[in-house]
Amino acid sequence: MTENESPGSGPEPSNGLTESGRSYPASDSRPTDPKSLGIDPAAIAIDAHGDWKPAHHKLLTSLGLAYRDLVNRTLGSVAREIGQPLNGWDFKRSKGPRQVTHDAEGELKDLQRRSLRHRNARETLPLPSDTDTPTAYDWLKLIAILAVCIVLEAVANVTLLSRALSTGLVGAFITAVLVSAINVGALGAGGGLALSAVRRHSNSRVPFLSGCGLLVVAATALNLIVGRHREAFARLIEEREQQTLEAAEVSLASARELVAGISFNPVTWELESLLFLVLGLALCAVGFYKGFTFVKAGVKRRDAEESLALEWKEIKERYTTLSERYRRKLTQGLRADVAGWIEELDRKRRLARNVLEDVKESWEQGSYLDFVESDFMVAHNKHNADKIDREMVDRHRKSVNVDWSFPATPADWHILDEADDIVAAWRDSGQETFFESVDAECDQVADLWKRYESVILGPATGKGTHGTG
């Protein structure tokens, strides 16, 4: 690879004209031309309005400062490039291929720790019988639902009772509420809570099934008894009304006398009494369901299993993609970054050397002074009656106090030498050595990845006791 080739990727396309081996941007004049530095001798002469000596002094001062600024900016770009974290492929100030491998091993160790914690957590999962303690809000919801059911059943029966009982509407409502509370609250919700506890704590299904049978019998019996009494009230009211007696004369005692003759078969009852029986059984079933499901078992275990499943999915995904992720970091990331850094350093150091040598040549030959002073004299003589010539300008230049030292110092040249050494070493053997080290670390990451497989995913199959998580 020659001096004019771009490191790592072949010849660099020419981006401009070449003069004495130097390249300049095609769209601009040479970067060391005074006008490209913002110096306009003609404008300075015209603005002087005939007072040419101060203007000439200003021209010389501006020119010196412009060249110094050009050198500083050009060399500064090279110095900043050298000072980047990617300090060549030696990685004196940055993460090299070995550091990437070290990071990969660090992530594998972290996944190993997480996998161990995951296995330990699975061994200490809550039992299926573990329950969540109901909150005050849960109790309020249960009480509200039961209250609605009790009131609904009481309202369905209060009209008949208010006509039958001498206590009136209030007494009838209280009686209906008490009966409904026994049906929905005591038998329904209470039985549900009791059977829920039996099911959680009994290893045998016999107590639970026996309790269910007893509860069904009790609820059916209670609602049949209440239904028969309602049927008795209805018939007694009907008979008394036919005899033009006041319904208020109906009493519980008279209803009990009549109820003995009413069949337990609800099909023989009036439709309203039959529907009341069905409503009572349905509301009792609602109370039972709410009571049976009030204390939730196994929720803690399900939540813990779901959380562990998500964590295991992340662990497994991070492990299975680790080798490829770090391979991309080494090949597509680090290797490309270093090669690109070298290419950019090469471009900047060649441009800087061209600029620096051009400034040095112009400085030594004085061509930049001839250029700007000629334009200055032409513009002055064109706009002023008092003419000036080259001899007058030379004398004035020698008389003014202007710093004529060359803008670049030995330290500046050392920056270019350091950049030259880096690029030369890369072209000589550095690129090949660096790429070989990247490939070696890729293999090292792959070996690490396989070595950690059993301790992360589990022994033998790589799944261990996890299964699906």
Side-chain angles (χ1 to χ4, degrees):
M1 186 178 293
T2 65
E3 173 71 9
N4 290 325
E5 290 180 345
S6 174
S9 59
E12 180 182 357
S14 175
N15 61 354
L17 302 176
T18 301
E19 176 186 337
S20 303
R22 306 188 187 102
S23 298
Y24 302 102
S27 59
D28 268 324
S29 61
R30 287 168 48 178
T32 52
D33 286 345
K35 285 190 176 181
S36 68
L37 300 178
I39 305 297
D40 189 349
I44 294 176
I46 294 172
D47 291 341
H49 302 294
D51 193 1
W52 70 273
K53 288 185 178 181
H56 182 234
H57 186 273
K58 175 183 177 182
L59 174 65
L60 297 176
T61 303
S62 300
L63 188 63
L65 292 176
Y67 273 103
R68 282 176 174 78
D69 183 62
L70 171 65
V71 170
N72 291 336
R73 283 188 286 107
T74 306
L75 288 173
S77 66
V78 178
R80 284 191 298 272
E81 202 68 38
I82 294 176
Q84 290 294 324
L86 284 176
N87 185 29
W89 57 99
D90 293 331
F91 297 96
K92 297 174 182 176
R93 307 188 188 100
S94 68
K95 292 182 178 180
R98 289 187 180 180
Q99 182 61 45
V100 176
T101 304
H102 180 74
D103 291 346
E105 185 171 13
E107 184 174 345
L108 287 168
K109 288 181 179 178
D110 180 64
L111 291 175
Q112 178 186 359
R113 289 190 292 269
R114 291 180 60 186
S115 178
L116 180 60
R117 287 198 304 268
H118 183 272
R119 282 194 286 269
N120 292 337
R122 287 194 65 82
E123 295 174 358
T124 59
L125 282 173
L127 297 175
S129 60
D130 288 348
T131 61
D132 281 344
T133 303
T135 64
Y137 179 69
D138 294 329
W139 282 106
L140 288 175
K141 286 198 300 182
L142 177 63
I143 293 172
I145 293 173
L146 295 179
V148 170
C149 294
I150 291 171
V151 171
L152 180 63
E153 185 178 15
V155 169
N157 203 30
V158 71
T159 302
L160 177 66
L161 291 178
S162 65
R163 294 171 59 194
L165 299 176
S166 58
T167 54
L169 182 62
V170 175
F173 183 75
I174 293 174
T175 302
V177 167
L178 290 175
V179 173
S180 181
I182 296 173
N183 180 49
V184 178
L187 281 181
L193 287 169
L195 288 177
S196 174
V198 170
R199 184 178 182 182
R200 290 195 309 272
H201 296 97
S202 176
N203 295 326
S204 173
R205 295 177 61 87
V206 175
F208 173 72
L209 295 176
S210 301
C212 287
L214 290 174
L215 183 62
V216 169
V217 171
T220 304
L222 175 65
N223 281 279
L224 282 174
I225 293 172
V226 173
R228 287 181 71 215
H229 278 78
R230 188 185 192 285
E231 179 69 10
F233 277 122
R235 292 184 183 182
L236 192 56
I237 291 172
E238 184 178 352
E239 291 178 2
R240 295 297 176 86
E241 286 180 347
Q242 290 175 355
Q243 298 173 12
T244 67
L245 296 176
E246 292 294 332
E249 298 177 7
V250 177
S251 64
L252 287 175
S254 59
R256 290 193 188 98
E257 295 174 0
L258 186 61
V259 78
I262 298 176
S263 171
F264 274 101
N265 183 4
V267 178
T268 62
W269 301 349
E270 292 184 1
L271 180 60
E272 287 186 3
S273 298
L274 177 61
L275 292 177
F276 180 78
L277 170 66
V278 174
L279 177 63
L281 290 173
L283 293 177
C284 181
V286 171
F288 172 80
Y289 173 77
K290 290 299 180 181
F292 188 76
T293 59
F294 181 65
V295 179
K296 296 178 175 60
V299 175
K300 291 182 178 180
R301 184 178 181 89
R302 285 195 301 271
D303 291 345
E305 286 178 339
E306 290 177 0
S307 177
L308 287 177
L310 291 175
E311 183 183 16
W312 175 244
K313 180 180 179 182
E314 182 188 356
I315 292 173
K316 188 174 181 180
E317 182 178 357
R318 288 186 66 82
Y319 172 77
T320 54
T321 62
L322 183 140
S323 181
E324 182 59 29
R325 283 191 286 112
Y326 279 90
R327 183 178 184 85
R328 285 198 301 269
K329 282 185 179 181
L330 286 164
T331 56
Q332 300 177 19
L334 187 61
R335 186 164 65 181
D337 288 345
V338 173
W341 177 81
I342 290 290
E343 290 179 4
E344 184 65 12
L345 176 63
D346 180 50
R347 184 187 69 80
K348 290 183 177 180
R349 63 102 190 178
R350 285 189 289 126
L351 175 62
R353 188 170 290 280
N354 289 341
V355 169
L356 210 61
E357 290 178 353
D358 195 45
V359 172
K360 186 173 184 298
E361 180 181 343
S362 298
W363 206 275
E364 292 173 348
Q365 295 178 0
S367 57
Y368 70 98
L369 283 175
D370 293 339
F371 180 82
V372 297
E373 288 179 339
S374 296
D375 276 4
F376 179 82
M377 288 186 295
V378 170
H380 175 81
N381 293 337
K382 182 178 179 181
H383 294 87
N384 297 280
D386 296 332
K387 308 301 180 183
I388 58 175
D389 54 24
R390 169 60 62 181
E391 184 178 354
M392 296 168 62
V393 171
D394 289 342
R395 285 199 307 269
H396 182 262
R397 185 191 329 118
K398 293 176 182 178
S399 66
V400 297
N401 184 21
V402 177
D403 183 8
W404 298 114
S405 60
F406 181 62
T409 66
D412 295 327
W413 290 104
H414 178 71
I415 292 174
L416 293 181
D417 292 339
E418 184 179 354
D420 292 342
D421 292 341
I422 292 174
V423 174
W426 175 263
R427 290 170 175 170
D428 181 30
S429 60
Q431 177 178 351
E432 182 179 356
T433 302
F434 172 70
F435 285 2
E436 287 176 354
S437 68
V438 168
D439 293 336
E441 296 304 322
C442 285
D443 296 337
Q444 180 70 13
V445 169
D447 291 341
L448 282 171
W449 184 71
K450 292 295 292 181
R451 197 156 64 236
Y452 275 84
E453 181 177 14
S454 62
V455 296
I456 294 177
L457 299 184
T461 61
K463 295 181 180 178
T465 60
H466 295 285
T468 59

